[in-house]
Amino acid sequence: MLKLNCDLGESFSLYRLGQDEAVMPLIDQANIACGFHAGDPSVLRKTLELAVVHQVDIGAHPSYDDKAGFGRRSVVMAADELRDLLWYQIAAVDGVARSLGSRVSYVKPHGALYNDMMRSPQLLQTVMQAVAAYHSQPALMLLCDANRVLHQQSADQLGLKLYFEAFADRRYQADGSLTPRSQPGAVLTEAQALAQVRLLLTQGQVEAADGSKIALQADSLCVHGDTPSALAMLQQIRQSLGSD
């Protein structure tokens, strides 16, 4: 069964982003901001409490240290520095989650870090090694693309579990990558996203920007929480997926 995931916990102090209270009951996996692109300690605790109440799997959503840019700007880092950055953020979410009787079960990098690792085999290997070496051995969520088999082989060598994800609200390129947000049409409208989800559910495919079809074998489907129509999309997708 395809799971449904969403990026949550991205509010900060008086600034509200997303509709976490309404979204949480609709999803299976919550990618929760760790404070380096969004979120703060109180938002983190409140978001985790929601996840616990609704029995949603908890994912740490770490990013580059770039709150001013919402984690969407690349940062060049040494491998050990990136490992330390990931451990720091995972530990923050995992520590609060354990205080609430739960735990982090997977890690999904955010924004530029996610995109960079999908473009760079070396960077992806660094991220895989860091997540695999974290003491509780969470899974890693990454883009389902043409290199799925190679990614799985690399993860198997590290004893790392992977979740491959597809995106409901992002436009794909012919190589299976996501269209950069800097390009027009990178984020789909509600109607376009729902059409993309229907194609994925019925045919196991998505349509790329050039009209070609891409086969995807995904474990989880992402809707971004900061998309204006996220709640409406999630409600309809949840109905299509079923409640189990």
Side-chain angles (χ1 to χ4, degrees), residues 79-114:
D80 60 342
E81 292 176 327
L82 180 56
R83 177 204 61 207
D84 296 344
L85 184 73
L86 290 170
W87 281 2
Y88 190 98
Q89 294 180 74
I90 297 167
V93 181
D94 193 42
V96 179
R98 287 178 184 272
S99 297
L100 298 172
S102 189
R103 67 181 182 87
V104 164
S105 62
Y106 69 95
V107 176
K108 176 186 170 180
H110 166 82
L113 176 56
Y114 186 99

Side-chain angles (χ1 to χ4, degrees), residues 12 52 193:
F12 176 73
V52 171

